Amino acid sequence: MSDTVRDYQVIIVGAGFAGVAAAQRLAKERIRTLLIDRNNYQQFQPLLYQVATAQLAANDVAAPLRSLFRKHPSVRVLTAEVSSIDARDRSVTLPDGTVFRSDVLVISAGAEVNYFGTPGADEFSYPLYSVDDATALASSLVEQLDRADTAAATHGDCEPIDVVVVGGGPTGVETAGAIGETIERVLPHYFHDAVPRRCTVHLVDHGDTVLKPFSEKLQRYTRRSLERLGVVMLMGTGVSEVRADGVTLSDGSTLPAHVVVWAGGLKARSVVASAGLETGRGGRVDVDADLTAPGVPGVYVLGDAANIPDGSGGTLPQLGSVAMQSGKWAGRNIVADLTGGQRRPFGYVDKGFMAMIGRMSAVAEVGPKRIELTGPLAFASWLAVHAALLPQARARIGALASWPRDYLSRSRSQFVVGNRPR
């Protein structure tokens, strides 16, 4: 038997950047809001690769939702999986049959990894979209290093350790760079010389360059920086199969791998398709300029669940800054809906793109005029922006304490013990 709860003015499905930003705006107006997420924390996805490489602890990128809203009793946090969404009824159903209904429904359910039907990718590769993903990858890397170290101690040498990163976008570049720098700068201080000497990182992408949205100048800088860290670049070839012992490339050749990291793309979570809304590229909903679902009153779609128009015939990129700004904007529009005001088209403030490559090495295109930054200046800008975006003061303090240790010294004790399975 299901229970129907009708006393919420707003239901928000998903507590990512967009969902939390919308809930925080509604909290200021004391609007009765139900925020549902399968996790009881908000995760800062742009820094998950740093958890995987032990530059940050998992707690530094995960903010407890109830802590975020403890001073806002109008927002109720519910930790639950949503099994289906009925957009026209503005209701959601949980696996036990419980139904919640509201005046306004916000779908910000986030994304899931898109393996593009690649055989074995789901089973044998590590995605990087959740804290659990990051800690699982970290544990696998440490396990491989321990095995190699044991072999070096008992036999005098060890088998090669190959890591393959699939995808040349920001996640793939940052992950490959972080692992490459760890091999070059950190491992020699913790493991026998034979171990880091036998480690290789490969970056594979079917495109002809890395960081496709960036300028050619920044792409060239990124490629040179990765190669200096020992990353082997395999551009213009895709991965057609992932196996337990490596990958098969689109040209039929094979590449051995002990660890495969999948950074090849995302798509909207499958629950979005259950909502009864028309979906477009990436399984996302093509929303109107005011962030509402076309033809369905009282429904907003945000973040990785939405294709948001950029005002010139295209759509905005799937960035954390877009999600956060759209959440705040949707919150204001929802307040207008509930108080008889007027909704306004979303006005995105373009802050550009950034990607970290390694110590004192990053690229950035800042602002609508795309001012290009490289090296230490881009590196400092990346640190400042990401520290400011972390959801809690505690997380900012943790990051600001960890980063100087990681980038100015060669110490990274979490890589050795902090992310081991328990």
Side-chain angles (χ1 to χ4, degrees):
M1 179 180 294
S2 66
D3 297 322
T4 301
V5 180
R6 301 177 182 271
D7 61 349
Y8 288 102
Q9 292 173 283
V10 180
I11 292 175
I12 301 175
V13 180
F17 287 138
V20 167
Q24 288 173 329
R25 180 63 183 85
L26 297 173
K28 294 179 181 179
E29 306 296 329
R30 299 182 180 179
I31 291 173
R32 295 190 310 278
T33 302
L34 178 65
L35 178 62
I36 309 175
D37 197 279
R38 54 184 169 178
N39 298 315
N40 63 1
Y41 55 86
Q42 180 196 25
Q43 58 192 13
F44 193 78
Q45 290 165 339
L47 293 180
L48 289 174
Y49 79 94
Q50 294 204 354
V51 175
T53 53
Q55 296 177 54
L56 292 175
N59 288 342
D60 291 334
V61 299
L65 291 172
R66 290 182 175 85
S67 178
L68 291 176
F69 293 100
R70 61 189 172 85
K71 295 182 179 179
H72 301 285
S74 63
V75 178
R76 178 181 175 182
V77 174
L78 178 63
T79 304
E81 189 77 52
V82 171
S83 59
S84 65
I85 301 171
D86 187 335
R88 297 187 183 279
D89 189 47
R90 296 189 296 278
S91 65
V92 299
T93 302
L94 306 187
D96 66 358
T98 301
V99 178
F100 295 97
R101 187 173 290 117
S102 63
D103 299 322
V104 178
L105 175 64
V106 179
I107 302 173
S108 55
E112 60 189 27
V113 180
N114 192 347
Y115 294 110
F116 300 100
T118 305
D122 187 11
E123 182 179 2
F124 296 116
S125 68
Y126 292 87
L128 260 180
Y129 195 69
S130 72
V131 172
D132 288 343
D133 292 339
T135 54
L137 174 56
S139 296
S140 179
L141 290 170
V142 173
E143 180 182 1
Q144 295 300 329
L145 292 168
D146 277 344
R147 287 180 179 176
D149 192 51
T150 300
T154 55
H155 304 297
D157 201 358
C158 60
E159 293 294 321
I161 302 175
D162 291 290
V163 177
V164 173
V165 179
V166 182
T171 299
V173 164
E174 292 183 328
T175 303
I179 298 176
E181 184 171 65
T182 299
I183 292 169
E184 181 182 84
R185 290 179 52 83
V186 179
L187 295 191
H189 295 268
Y190 292 102
F191 292 92
H192 187 273
D193 288 345
V195 174
R197 282 192 287 105
R198 303 303 299 274
C199 295
T200 305
V201 181
H202 304 263
L203 180 62
V204 181
D205 192 273
H206 59 78
D208 57 1
T209 185
V210 293
L211 298 181
K212 202 69 173 177
F214 289 71
S215 71
E216 291 184 6
K217 172 186 173 182
L218 299 188
Q219 291 169 357
R220 289 194 298 271
Y221 176 90
T222 300
R223 186 160 186 160
R224 290 195 302 268
S225 298
L226 288 172
E227 289 171 344
R228 280 197 294 269
L229 292 172
V231 177
V232 178
M233 312 288 288
L234 296 173
M235 297 290 103
T237 183
V239 171
S240 59
E241 182 184 10
V242 181
R243 306 181 312 279
D245 61 349
V247 300
T248 301
L249 303 179
S250 55
D251 61 5
S253 62
T254 60
L255 191 63
H258 297 80
V259 177
V260 178
V261 182
W262 191 271
L266 299 171
K267 60 182 179 180
R269 285 185 60 205
S270 55
V271 72
V272 175
S274 75
L277 301 172
E278 185 174 347
T279 57
R281 181 171 53 88
R284 297 181 286 267
V285 177
D286 297 326
V287 298
D288 287 335
D290 60 4
L291 305 173
T292 58
V296 186
V299 177
Y300 290 78
V301 188
L302 310 173
D304 286 331
N307 291 318
I308 300 175
D310 63 5
S312 59
T315 57
L316 293 172
Q318 302 298 311
L319 297 175
S321 59
V322 175
M324 190 175 295
Q325 290 185 45
S326 68
K328 293 178 181 178
W329 200 281
R332 289 195 291 267
N333 277 349
I334 292 169
V335 172
D337 289 342
L338 297 176
T339 59
Q342 187 71 33
R343 287 196 300 265
R344 293 168 48 204
F346 177 42
Y348 175 58
V349 178
D350 189 346
K351 297 182 179 180
F353 303 101
M354 292 183 172
M356 173 74 77
I357 305 167
R359 186 177 68 93
M360 295 298 175
S361 180
V363 292
E365 292 186 16
V366 182
K369 294 186 178 180
R370 291 289 187 265
I371 298 172
E372 296 180 354
L373 304 175
T374 61
L377 186 55
F379 177 84
S381 300
W382 186 98
L383 292 178
V385 167
H386 285 75
L389 289 175
L390 283 166
Q392 286 187 311
R394 179 193 55 77
R396 286 190 289 274
I397 293 170
L400 292 173
S402 295
W403 283 334
R405 179 202 66 206
D406 296 335
Y407 291 120
L408 299 179
S409 75
R410 298 175 186 239
S411 172
R412 199 172 294 174
S413 59
Q414 293 180 87
F415 197 85
V416 181
V417 297
N419 286 316
R420 299 300 301 276
R422 288 176 170 82

